[in-house]
Amino acid sequence: MARTAKLNDRFDAEIERYLKDHWDQILDDLRTLVRIESVDGSPSASKGAPYGPGPREALDAIIEIADRMGFETHDLNGFIAYADWPGETETQLGIICHVDVVPAGPGWTFHPFELTEHEGYLVGRGVADDKGPLVICLHALKFWKDSGARFPYSIRFLFGADEEVGMHDVAYYRAHHPDPAFLFTPDAEFPVCYGEKGIYQATAKSKPVHTRAIESIEGGMTVNAVPGEAHASFLDTSRDDIVAKGRTAHASTPDLGVNAIGLLVGELLDKNLASDEERVFLEFARRLCGSTDGSAFGIACADDDFGALTICGGMIRYADGVFTQTIDIRYPTAISSQQITDALVSKLDPLGIELIVDNDKEPFLIDSNSPAVRALTDSYEHATECEAKPFTMGGGTYAREFERAASFGMEKTGIERPKWVGGMHAPNEAISIAEYKDAFRIYAYAIAKLMEADITA
């Protein structure tokens, strides 16, 4: 066959044949990964398993799958792994997905760690973020490998294990290896994301509360999601516990959720179920969870590339007389992290609440007209016969950790789905089989189109 694989009707047919012939294997590979509860387990870290046993087991599983496919695999001490397919030059195209997932959390009607087919959807934690994209994209690469294609660029497929917590896996990789000339990550939405908002995460901590009515509060499972459930218990055991039910959503789109913490603290305050000392922190939490644009703290803003700032209260805890509440802010270039800190401190200091900044990543942008981004856009248009326009988002992916990268699928926006279907980080996380198959076609095309582009430009 030709030195580079040109897209034409013959390759379209071969792509469809691979999809048909290997569909059961694709599902088996996804099932293998979904069954692994690869939630961060850093407190149980050990040599070769820096993020705990779950991510380690998932890394082992994907390495075994890539080995079976005939790729050359490497395990970097459990921090990250990769599979190589050499090209005619050492110029490298990178692809990166992650095997770790967020906790299942409440609200599931299916087993979160089993792959379930239901009403034309694949259901399970990670099917959309990011085990499903990993499997389908790896098979797209295998399609070209099996075809005998000879590509001008080498391809390195990276398997991360710490994306949901801190992306320390990429930091480890970059400390030991140079960046690819260009990299894409299937960990967002189609068509192509060329920029990501800044991500500011902090913890608000109360001073010790001496006069107490509340025994405990717990809400939310992770800092980067709108909590779907929160509950409180009381020192007066004659009072019933309170459970608040909201609707989960990713922290980058908090307007799509209903914050259970806001509902819970609202009830505690409105029904006078807290002491005067406790009310101080609860009033802050209600303000935080009551709006998603930052206006409650004087930081509402927007810019042309990213649009408006968003804010989300993800987790609240009350133990040993001290409240903690996490804050997740996705911010555009119209404001700096220092301005955010100053604004929050000005509101919290008078209340005796300490602000601890846990994480800050500046906004990330690349040229939306670069040859690589155009190649991804063209691939999407070829597969879907729909016009595509690159976009930016509030979510954070591996793309922002590399010099030249973009996020590329695999979810599609604007599609009406059944009410039971959950998105990334939500209960009943699901992706339709039709979307999953479309993603295979798109990634197969994209690999070929990138080989025709100057990915160094």
Side-chain angles (χ1 to χ4, degrees), residues 20-32:
K20 179 181 179 182
D21 292 346
H22 294 80
W23 181 245
D24 288 344
Q25 184 63 64
I26 290 170
L27 291 184
D28 283 347
D29 291 341
L30 179 56
R31 185 175 294 109
T32 295

Side-chain angles (χ1 to χ4, degrees), residues 187-384:
D187 192 18
E189 291 82 32
F190 286 124
V192 187
C193 177
Y194 69 97
E196 299 175 4
K197 285 179 177 175
I199 300 178
Y200 179 100
Q201 294 171 330
T203 301
K205 180 180 179 181
S206 76
K207 58 186 178 182
V209 177
H210 301 291
T211 305
R212 299 175 56 192
I214 298 168
E215 180 179 32
S216 70
I217 284 180
E218 186 169 346
M221 298 292 292
T222 181
V223 63
N224 60 348
V226 176
E229 185 173 308
H231 56 86
S233 62
F234 303 92
L235 293 173
D236 182 351
T237 56
S238 66
R239 292 189 184 277
D240 292 333
D241 295 353
I242 298 177
V243 179
K245 300 282 189 177
R247 183 173 65 249
T248 60
H250 196 279
S252 63
T253 54
D255 54 306
L256 300 181
V258 176
N259 196 308
I261 293 172
L263 299 177
L264 176 67
V265 299
E267 185 165 0
L268 293 172
L269 291 167
D270 293 344
K271 293 185 177 180
N272 293 315
L273 297 175
S275 71
D276 288 344
E277 285 186 86
E278 291 167 332
R279 289 185 67 91
V280 173
F281 195 91
L282 297 181
E283 290 284 7
F284 151 71
R286 176 155 66 176
R287 178 190 291 186
L288 171 66
C289 300
S291 64
T292 61
D293 64 355
S295 57
F297 300 97
I299 55 174
C301 61
D303 69 10
D304 291 338
D305 279 305
F306 290 113
L309 175 148
T310 63
I311 188 169
C312 169
M315 294 189 294
I316 192 170
R317 299 290 186 268
Y318 186 50
D320 300 324
V322 175
F323 288 97
T324 57
Q325 168 69 61
T326 66
I327 304 167
D328 186 300
I329 297 171
R330 309 299 168 107
Y331 64 97
T333 59
I335 194 170
S336 70
S337 60
Q338 187 60 55
Q339 288 173 310
I340 292 172
T341 297
D342 292 345
L344 292 175
V345 168
S346 71
K347 303 290 186 183
L348 298 183
D349 263 5
L351 304 177
I353 298 173
E354 179 186 4
L355 182 74
I356 304 164
V357 179
D358 301 311
N359 182 37
D360 176 39
K361 297 182 178 179
E362 295 181 351
F364 166 76
L365 274 172
I366 62 169
D367 182 2
S368 61
N369 291 312
S370 68
V373 172
R374 289 202 305 270
L376 297 179
T377 305
D378 290 347
S379 303
Y380 179 84
E381 291 182 340
H382 181 93
T384 64

Side-chain angles (χ1 to χ4, degrees), residues 5 7 371 374-376 378-379 444-453:
L7 296 181
R374 289 202 305 270
L376 297 179
D378 290 347
S379 303
Y445 297 147
I447 290 166
K449 291 295 289 184
L450 285 165
M451 293 298 155
E452 299 171 358

Side-chain angles (χ1 to χ4, degrees), residues 374-416:
R374 289 202 305 270
L376 297 179
T377 305
D378 290 347
S379 303
Y380 179 84
E381 291 182 340
H382 181 93
T384 64
E385 299 182 346
C386 296
E387 185 177 356
K389 183 179 179 181
F391 65 95
T392 63
M393 68 175 183
T397 72
Y398 281 131
R400 71 189 307 127
E401 302 298 313
F402 293 87
E403 191 67 28
R404 299 185 66 257
S407 53
F408 184 52
M410 81 174 187
E411 287 195 337
K412 294 180 181 177
T413 57
I415 295 178
E416 187 173 343

